[in-house]
Amino acid sequence: MSITPAITVSSLDYERLAALLETCEQGHPVAGRLEAELERAEVVEPEAMPANVITMNSRARIRLGDGQEKLLTLVYPREADSEQGRISVLAPIGAALLGLSIGQDMQWPTPSGTTRLTVLEIVYQPEAAGEYHR
């Protein structure tokens, strides 16, 4: 059994994601896991968000368990576009990325089985760019 890393979520992201989860269909395959992640997260004000944490609309380089590296932007479902590397927070890997810091890794269930993902770099984070109310 792997240890689940600590995660940090901004209060703005927390409020918006909680509202999103209220609109999800009963039995959505990822909503319950995202809700559990929010429940265990340390919630901080956007201005206090460390620059090394993946928040909503952050762009990060990650490595999957098979060694493949991807550059992904974590977005709300309506903004998802796999061809542009925009992954929904309601996709399995998207929910896993929320709140992780550079260097952290996590095992997470996907439709094809459990995968490990590691955060290698955060290329852009709204809070670090001074965008606190995006």
Side-chain angles (χ1 to χ4, degrees), residues 53-73:
V53 175
I54 296 176
T55 62
M56 292 304 299
N57 298 302
S58 289
R59 187 158 184 79
R61 190 167 55 88
I62 66 164
R63 182 175 42 244
L64 300 175
D66 63 4
Q68 181 183 12
E69 290 188 14
K70 293 187 173 214
L71 186 60
L72 300 173
T73 302

Side-chain angles (χ1 to χ4, degrees), residues 49-128:
M49 179 59 67
N52 68 335
V53 175
I54 296 176
T55 62
M56 292 304 299
N57 298 302
S58 289
R59 187 158 184 79
R61 190 167 55 88
I62 66 164
R63 182 175 42 244
L64 300 175
D66 63 4
Q68 181 183 12
E69 290 188 14
K70 293 187 173 214
L71 186 60
L72 300 173
T73 302
L74 184 62
V75 298
Y76 293 94
R78 68 186 174 278
E79 300 162 341
D81 182 343
S82 60
E83 290 181 15
Q84 302 262 335
R86 298 172 65 81
I87 188 163
S88 170
V89 70
L90 285 176
I93 290 176
L97 289 175
L98 180 69
L100 288 179
S101 301
I102 295 171
Q104 285 184 315
D105 65 0
M106 181 175 209
Q107 285 192 355
W108 194 263
T110 66
S112 60
T114 300
T115 192
R116 176 171 293 283
L117 55 94
T118 304
V119 179
L120 302 175
E121 173 186 18
I122 296 178
V123 176
Y124 170 78
Q125 183 209 65
E127 292 82 359

Side-chain angles (χ1 to χ4, degrees), residues 26-45:
Q26 184 77 8
H28 185 284
V30 180
R33 292 188 183 279
L34 178 58
E35 185 172 19
E37 289 296 278
L38 289 175
E39 288 175 5
R40 72 181 193 83
E42 175 186 0
V43 180
V44 300
E45 291 304 311

